[in-house]
Amino acid sequence: MSFDRSIKIAPSILAADFANFGAECAAIEAEGADWVHVDVMDGHFVPNITFGPATCAAIRPHIKGVMDVHLMISPVDSYIDAFADAGADVITAHVEAGPHIHRTLQAIRGAGAKAGVALNPGTPAESVEHLLDMTDLICVMTVNPGFGGQKFIDMTTKIEKLRQMIGDRPIHIEIDGGVDPKTAPIVAAAGADVLVAGSAVFRGGSVQNPAPYGENIRAIRAAAQSVL
Ligand code: DX5
Ligand code: ZN
């Protein structure tokens, strides 16, 4: 996985057909997705349940590019090896998920994956200040995690602050929640490079009719690039 700051669109399969993940992943990649974002929820850290490492492993052969696994689970550490073994390229844990995020990030890199740290809307940029040299990605949540299709919460000042804190370090800024062609320019201008989008990518399309996925991905990318 090479590093650059170009805009990357990462469709969240939370908005895909859950009975058809393999074909959905192949369809979004064929339609121009850069990464595939995989939302793992435990019904404890967030009020919703999705799936675990076995599903990630089953999806993996259907993804050619980056599998970006967003863990909305607590505790995290006991499951890291399982998600790494499932083939995750990036494993992101929440700073709010436990008292030892530093140890968690060490464990993710130790398992051979890129280490991501996610911040809920109420969590300040400074919470990752001492983690920057052990982090490959910072995920700024622009909704409270748990569900797709929620309203975008503006986190511009947090994104700008993080971009400044990061400096020249090879750390992605990922935005997750409510990203669409209207909100993409706001986060891109603030310094984000990975844009997660669930409903705004999958709306209007299906495995049988994947062309709308491509139109949606291109619209989000063009909107983000228009302000750079
Ligand atoms: C929210 C998830 C997001 C979500 C994004 O808890 O982490 O990845 O699926 O969905 P949209 O783009 O519909 O807000
Ligand atoms: Zn997510």
Side-chain angles (χ1 to χ4, degrees), residues 11-31 33 36 59 62-63 201-203 205-210 213 217:
S12 163
I13 60 166
L14 190 60
D17 174 4
F18 269 47
N20 224 350
F21 276 146
E24 290 276 46
C25 290
I28 51 176
E29 281 196 330
E31 293 294 332
V36 176
I59 294 169
H62 302 272
I63 301 174
V201 166
F202 284 91
R203 73 167 60 107
S206 67
V207 165
Q208 290 74 31
N209 173 35
Y213 296 167
I217 289 169

Side-chain angles (χ1 to χ4, degrees), residues 65-125:
V66 172
M67 181 158 99
D68 175 33
V69 176
H70 178 193
L71 298 181
M72 287 160 276
I73 66 173
S74 172
V76 180
D77 293 13
S78 41
Y79 299 101
I80 289 170
D81 286 344
F83 286 103
D85 291 346
D89 297 290
V90 183
I91 299 177
T92 297
H94 271 259
V95 74
E96 308 87 1
H100 297 298
I101 185 67
H102 189 283
R103 176 186 289 151
T104 300
L105 295 174
Q106 279 179 328
I108 294 172
R109 280 194 173 172
K114 297 284 183 192
V117 60
L119 282 68
N120 282 337
T123 302

Side-chain angles (χ1 to χ4, degrees), residues 25-52:
C25 290
I28 51 176
E29 281 196 330
E31 293 294 332
D34 299 289
W35 293 11
V36 176
H37 185 82
V38 180
D39 285 311
V40 176
M41 304 186 186
D42 67 351
H44 167 74
F45 180 68
V46 289
N48 191 9
I49 301 176
T50 55
F51 47 75

